[in-house]
Amino acid sequence: MNPLNNDIKFVSGVGEVRAKLLARELGISTVRDMLYHFPFRYIDRTKIYKIGELNDANTTGYIQIRARVTGKNFFGEGRRRRFSIYVADETGKAELVWFQGIKWVENRFELGREYVIFGRPTFFRSELSMVHPEVEPVEKALSRQQQCGLQGIYSTTEQLSTGLGTKGMYNIICNLWSSVKGHIVDYMPQYLRVKYGLISLEEALYNIHFPQSAALLKQAQYRLKFDELFGIQLNIQTLRSARVSAQAGFVFAKVGESFNTFYNTRLPFPLTGAQKRVIKEIRQDTVSGCQMNRLLQGDVGSGKTVVALISMLLAVDNGYQACMMAPTEILARQHFATIVKMLGDMGVKVAVLTGTTKVRERRVILEALKEGQIDILVGTHALLEDRVQFSNLGFVVIDEQHRFGVEQRARLWTKNNNPPHILVMTATPIPRTLAMTVYGDLDVSIIDELPPGRRPIKTVHYYDSARLRLFGFMREQIAQGRQIYIVYPLIKESEKADYANLEEGFAAIVQDFPLPKYRVSACHGKMKAEDKEESMRQFKAGEADILVATSVIEVGVDVPNATVMVIESAERFGLAQLHQLRGRVGRGANQSFCILMSDEKLSKESRTRLEAMCETTDGFRLAELDLKLRGAGDINGTLQSGEAFNFKIANPALDNQILHLAQQAAIAILTADPTLAEQQHYSLRELKSRYSTERDIDFSKIS
Ligand code: ADP
Ligand code: MG
């Protein structure tokens, strides 16, 4: 019995209650899970700060101070009870605060004794305080440091903060190590370890939790990142070679009449260079004899629809049918209208099928489809149903990829004897490196150029103190007949305070922009659905000048007359979200503006984000930067709460080099031994299955 498979509850210091918490909060249920819960960063515990040298700049991370207890106090009653300990060193004083576990803390401190205190500092009226810090008598802390200065910081959650904070995690791993030591089997063949300079798995796991030196920590990180990226690549490369070798693709040998007529006489504008390039890429795929599986990325408004249409015409010219699937009814109908209008009287037969298509009409469409009398069918998920039978489906376009995962793509394949070519389109920029890692079974095309004549949105950053200037600018724009969005952040963890901000902000706006001259409406999650719809309708119809909203408007609103997007507390939004919000304006002929409002105090990272927004409107550059600023853990969060790939340690934006090595290794092995049947590779199957890609990937969630 492999001790790594043991239930975590049997590890000393865990037990039933904590095991349940660990499972619920972090998905940890076995010893192996716990071992693979890596620190997300390390601090040097030999560094001890003086209270006097700490300031706002320190509030983003953990630090240590060494101070003497000078007093204690209780505040509040019942659930709001709070316990404070006052400490001081020769340079200043600080307050340590507990809201929970007060009884336990209370008796652990002696007045006058010196402690090492570890936690995240905050400042309140320029007084230093720390909430729920870890505290150890000085003698004990110092003796531990002599072993090694680097200590891992583990991610925990609010619910875990008492007893299972970062120190609790550390203790559990200490406790379980003795039972797994010597039992960690390395699945990596010796020759690969030599070739890529990888330390053993056991050494790596030991040093990731208990770094014996900075150099060993580096090697441990390299080994574990390599494993992760290699595991993913083993899957991706298997999928890819299966597709390339086994899936015979339809050959669209000729460029025929519809394509030429459309291109030469009906196209309402010259294509951009990027659109032409993508069409060429698709054309190459569709004559290659292999089935195409291509991801087309292009920012909102970059002109993906026409590329899709031209590609579908290629299929039609070669005697195949094409279909185009959109995530919503509205989008499907919009596409249908666009396509019908663009094609005009060319004689290409187009139909639309959605969930609300009337039974009678549906019957007619399904019949015609089966008889081959429809060339292009536009629709929603309804196209996936079994009763939708084509006579000769050759090309499929999936727009926006919301919830069309690997499995659904597979369902489309059964609609003809051979799988059709598939073009997946998304407006959410995915950095190339991430795309290569996560969607490596797809080829990627990018439209990185907007049609000419678009006026780039002007973006500026104001501090809250410039609010009067902002209001002045808003009045000017309204006087010119324009409309304005004001967006407030709404985050689950701070929902109450966020709504309070929004309400306060709304009240202030109504006061400064009074009726009858100005009309202000609001739209947020607390409102009834009808009320939300009504205020959206008013804004769309131009009956309101200002819409105050939470980030719900991020999706799907299209009001060309809105030219100003004001984002409140912009420092709290991620880059991708800011970019999406900004995309709500700049849809009409008038110059548009995005105004980022923030507090004067900004962390380095927030400042970088806001600066980047002001500098560029290029979604891809922003996405790359976003990925660099955020850790690997955050990528999980954006990929359907970790459903896609479990990046625990690698960051595909930063670990480019390792990614390339891992890819190279995977290709070499699979070329020699495609099914991992050789004895030396047999153990790699475990690694491969851990990173299996047989999951639905939700592109819409990648931000
Ligand atoms: P998206 O990539 O967001 O789906 P659309 O395909 O809806 O973008 O195109 C946005 C708008 O740009 C449409 O009105 C379309 O007609 C127009 N458009 C597309 N390509 C060009 C081009 N090459 N030149 C000018 N306008 C274009
Ligand atoms: Mg589109």
Side-chain angles (χ1 to χ4, degrees):
M1 171 90 184
N2 185 340
L4 269 70
N5 295 331
N6 285 352
D7 194 318
I8 189 72
K9 75 179 172 197
F10 299 122
V11 173
S12 101
V14 184
E16 295 278 354
V17 177
R18 285 180 172 177
K20 278 213 180 88
L21 268 174
L22 283 170
R24 196 184 67 209
E25 295 291 316
L26 298 169
I28 293 172
S29 54
T30 65
V31 166
R32 176 183 287 102
D33 296 340
M34 194 72 214
L35 268 183
Y36 277 83
H37 185 64
F38 303 141
F40 66 95
R41 55 190 212 89
Y42 297 83
I43 58 146
D44 182 357
R45 293 207 71 160
T46 54
K47 168 81 188 158
I48 293 181
Y49 284 86
K50 297 277 178 230
I51 292 174
E53 67 178 309
L54 290 169
N55 56 44
D56 271 338
N58 301 101
T59 54
T60 53
Y62 289 83
I63 51 92
Q64 272 183 141
I65 55 174
R66 177 176 168 170
R68 222 171 270 286
V69 174
T70 59
K72 325 179 179 190
N73 209 349
F74 290 95
F75 300 92
E77 288 292 324
R79 305 199 64 203
R80 313 190 69 164
R81 213 163 122 89
R82 164 165 90 88
F83 175 58
S84 284
I85 291 205
Y86 302 98
V87 297
D89 66 8
E90 65 279 13
T91 65
K93 52 194 174 97
E95 183 181 355
L96 315 179
V97 185
W98 281 266
F99 300 100
Q100 281 165 327
I102 293 177
K103 257 218 178 83
W104 186 77
V105 192
E106 190 190 340
N107 300 316
R108 294 175 75 93
F109 296 99
E110 284 170 41
L111 269 176
R113 190 163 173 191
E114 204 181 9
Y115 295 86
V116 170
I117 299 145
F118 168 77
R120 201 191 271 267
T122 51
F123 284 88
F124 183 65
R125 300 207 182 107
S126 63
E127 297 278 333
L128 172 66
S129 63
M130 290 188 194
V131 177
H132 291 194
E134 287 170 16
V135 183
E136 260 180 324
V138 119
E139 314 76 50
K140 201 174 157 206
L142 291 184
S143 74
R144 193 167 33 72
Q145 277 159 22
Q146 265 136 38
Q147 297 153 24
C148 179
L150 286 172
Q151 190 185 324
I153 306 294
Y154 295 86
S155 63
T156 68
T157 68
E158 190 79 20
Q159 269 65 37
L160 294 174
S161 68
T162 47
L164 286 173
T166 178
K167 176 110 169 273
M169 296 279 175
Y170 178 84
N171 286 340
I172 293 172
I173 292 168
C174 286
N175 293 345
L176 66 77
W177 188 260
S178 59
S179 72
V180 300
K181 194 174 160 203
H183 293 279
I184 297 174
V185 184
D186 201 338
Y187 40 73
M188 197 68 83
Q190 181 65 24
Y191 83 91
L192 280 180
R193 281 182 45 198
V194 171
K195 180 162 181 193
Y196 292 101
L198 304 166
I199 60 172
S200 78
L201 186 59
E202 180 156 328
E203 248 185 305
L205 287 170
Y206 185 68
N207 279 285
I208 205 80
H209 294 293
F210 316 109
Q212 298 302 295
S213 68
L216 273 165
L217 173 60
K218 243 198 171 121
Q219 290 191 46
Q221 287 169 326
Y222 169 62
R223 163 73 209 246
L224 295 168
K225 285 176 178 183
F226 187 93
D227 282 18
E228 200 164 277
L229 294 167
F230 180 61
I232 292 170
Q233 287 297 321
L234 282 176
N235 283 286
I236 284 174
Q237 299 306 330
T238 305
L239 278 178
R240 185 189 205 93
S241 50
R243 173 162 65 87
V244 173
S245 64
Q247 302 298 348
F250 300 121
V251 177
F252 298 168
K254 63 175 180 196
V255 174
E257 201 190 317
S258 331
F259 183 97
N260 284 326
T261 310
F262 182 75
Y263 203 95
N264 297 325
T265 69
R266 300 216 52 105
L267 197 57
F269 36 68
L271 294 178
T272 61
Q275 285 171 318
K276 283 188 195 155
R277 190 185 67 234
V278 172
I279 292 170
K280 210 184 224 168
E281 283 165 354
I282 292 170
R283 170 114 181 82
Q284 274 162 6
D285 282 358
T286 53
V287 294
S288 72
C290 295
Q291 185 234 351
M292 178 181 86
N293 234 335
R294 190 168 276 283
L295 175 67
L296 171 56
Q297 296 186 58
D299 234 336
V300 178
S302 61
K304 295 184 292 292
T305 317
V306 71
V307 170
L309 176 57
I310 289 175
S311 314
M312 291 195 287
L313 291 177
L314 271 177
V316 173
D317 276 341
N318 287 274
Y320 293 94
Q321 291 169 303
C323 73
M324 181 164 183
M325 224 165 29
T328 65
E329 169 104 27
I330 294 176
L331 268 175
R333 300 218 171 254
Q334 190 181 299
H335 279 321
F336 174 69
T338 309
I339 289 173
V340 166
K341 191 167 141 223
M342 282 214 200
L343 293 178
D345 57 3
M346 273 177 50
V348 177
K349 282 158 291 185
V350 189
V352 60
L353 182 71
T354 70
T356 64
T357 305
K358 297 265 170 359
V359 178
R360 247 279 229 10
E361 194 189 344
R362 175 190 306 270
R363 202 179 299 135
V364 175
I365 291 174
L366 291 180
E367 193 60 30
L369 194 65
K370 215 154 81 191
E371 297 298 315
Q373 290 154 10
I374 290 175
D375 299 314
I376 295 176
L377 181 63
V378 182
T380 53
H381 279 84
L383 301 191
L384 292 171
E385 290 169 17
D386 285 337
R387 60 183 168 182
V388 180
Q389 302 264 332
F390 292 81
S391 120
N392 196 11
L393 179 64
F395 198 95
V396 175
V397 179
I398 303 177
D399 192 19
E400 296 297 354
Q401 182 68 17
H402 293 252
R403 314 219 156 266
F404 297 125
V406 175
E407 198 183 298
Q408 272 135 334
R409 271 190 269 150
R411 258 208 266 170
L412 284 161
W413 289 16
T414 62
K415 295 199 181 277
N416 204 343
N417 297 329
N418 280 328
H421 297 299
I422 294 184
L423 181 67
V424 172
M425 308 201 293
T426 175
T428 311
I430 305 162
R432 208 179 261 277
T433 41
L434 183 59
M436 185 177 131
T437 320
V438 182
Y439 310 109
D441 69 318
L442 302 175
D443 295 307
V444 179
S445 285
I446 294 180
I447 303 188
D448 49 8
E449 183 185 352
L450 289 179
R454 300 264 167 89
R455 291 199 203 186
I457 300 162
K458 286 194 181 142
T459 306
V460 289
H461 171 206
Y462 283 177
Y463 290 124
D464 291 334
S465 51
R467 200 159 287 276
L468 282 181
R469 219 161 98 208
L470 169 70
F471 284 1
F473 176 72
M474 286 168 59
R475 286 197 191 92
E476 262 169 47
Q477 287 284 310
I478 295 173
Q480 291 174 31
R482 306 285 116 73
Q483 290 167 281
I484 296 170
Y485 294 105
I486 303 180
V487 176
Y488 281 82
L490 179 63
I491 294 160
K492 222 158 118 214
E493 290 77 47
S494 53
E495 202 176 296
K496 252 199 183 140
D498 286 349
Y499 271 122
N501 285 345
L502 175 111
E503 272 156 26
E504 226 173 79
F506 182 70
I509 290 290
V510 169
Q511 196 170 21
D512 275 270
F513 294 81
L515 281 165
K517 190 161 177 204
Y518 299 103
R519 297 153 305 171
V520 184
S521 37
C523 182
H524 57 77
K526 266 197 183 165
M527 289 163 59
K528 282 202 216 108
E530 308 98 86
D531 296 343
K532 264 194 281 190
E533 251 166 57
E534 173 56 17
S535 54
M536 281 313 307
R537 189 203 60 75
Q538 280 176 3
F539 192 66
K540 268 191 175 177
E543 293 163 22
D545 306 299
I546 301 175
L547 180 69
V548 180
T550 52
S551 32
V552 289
I553 62 157
E554 198 181 330
V555 279
V557 192
D558 190 14
V559 183
N561 189 48
T563 54
V564 183
M565 167 62 68
V566 179
I567 305 177
E568 294 284 350
S569 305
E571 72 271 26
R572 293 179 51 201
F573 286 96
L575 260 181
Q577 230 182 342
L578 290 173
H579 180 64
Q580 292 287 335
L581 284 170
R582 177 166 60 184
R584 295 301 111 206
V585 294
R587 300 176 156 242
N590 300 301
Q591 175 65 53
S592 289
F593 304 87
C594 175
I595 300 168
L596 308 168
M597 301 298 293
S598 87
D599 198 271
E600 245 132 282
K601 276 191 219 154
L602 286 176
S603 69
K604 206 170 124 213
E605 223 189 278
S606 312
R607 197 173 291 281
T608 310
R609 279 201 302 265
L610 298 183
E611 278 167 7
M613 280 292 292
C614 294
E615 260 163 43
T616 183
T617 50
D618 180 339
F620 287 100
R621 272 183 56 198
L622 291 171
E624 284 279 353
L625 181 66
D626 199 25
L627 196 56
K628 276 187 188 156
L629 288 175
R630 300 185 302 169
D634 268 335
I635 298 167
N636 287 335
T638 57
L639 294 178
Q640 213 170 16
S641 52
E643 264 296 297
F645 288 100
N646 268 321
F647 288 112
K648 282 199 169 15
I649 187 164
N651 177 335
L654 298 178
D655 301 320
N656 237 317
Q657 242 169 340
I658 308 178
L659 172 61
H660 280 287
L661 291 176
Q663 188 177 45
Q664 194 190 74
I667 292 173
I669 286 181
L670 291 169
T671 310
D673 180 15
T675 57
L676 301 176
E678 284 174 27
Q679 199 175 354
Q680 60 172 349
H681 294 151
Y682 207 78
S683 55
L684 286 175
R685 291 177 172 197
E686 181 199 326
L687 181 67
K688 186 177 165 209
S689 72
R690 194 181 304 161
Y691 296 101
S692 161
T693 49
E694 298 299 309
R695 299 180 176 101
D696 248 15
I697 296 165
D698 181 353
F699 280 61
S700 68
K701 290 283 167 59
I702 297 162
S703 55

